Amino acid sequence: MALASRAQLLLERATSVLPISDEDLIYKGIAVSVSERIIALKKAEARLQGQYGSLEELERKVKTDGVSPEDHTLYTDLLEWRAINYEMAELLVLYKVATL
């Protein structure tokens, strides 16, 4: 896959100055982006953990209390937490590949 011409020029310029190959620079960029996203997800997870204790406790609360038609907060938080866990797992795989 060809990079956009502007990105390609920037990559060429960076590798002419930095003691790093273009491939390594791309991998490092991916690793940094993944790391930043993981940090953001960890913060969101910590917020939910502070509110509910654990994902299991939130699941139990939704099952026990149900979700009222007027307030879907519990269910929305449950979906968010599950999405965080899924994305974290995917990002960790991507990070491992980018840092090999």
Side-chain angles (χ1 to χ4, degrees):
M1 171 178 14
L3 293 174
S5 60
R6 184 173 177 203
Q8 183 64 40
L9 289 173
L10 183 59
L11 182 60
E12 289 171 6
R13 188 168 181 189
T15 55
S16 72
V17 175
L18 296 169
I20 189 170
S21 71
D22 56 348
E23 188 173 301
D24 286 341
L25 191 56
I26 290 170
Y27 285 127
K28 285 181 185 273
I30 291 170
V32 167
S33 295
V34 168
S35 297
E36 289 172 349
R37 182 64 180 155
I38 288 172
I39 290 168
L41 290 172
K42 287 282 190 185
K43 287 179 182 177
E45 183 179 42
R47 176 184 51 80
L48 291 168
Q49 198 167 29
Q51 241 177 314
Y52 302 107
S54 70
L55 177 58
E56 293 75 20
E57 288 179 40
L58 176 55
E59 288 172 335
R60 194 170 20 261
K61 187 170 179 69
V62 168
K63 192 178 238 182
T64 304
D65 298 351
V67 178
S68 87
E70 298 84 32
D71 184 9
H72 296 98
T73 303
L74 287 178
Y75 190 65
T76 302
D77 288 347
L78 177 62
L79 292 177
E80 180 184 3
W81 206 334
R82 288 177 177 169
I84 287 169
N85 287 343
Y86 176 80
E87 188 176 350
M88 285 284 286
E90 294 294 312
L91 288 170
L92 290 172
V93 170
L94 184 57
Y95 184 82
K96 286 179 185 177
V97 170
T99 57
L100 287 179

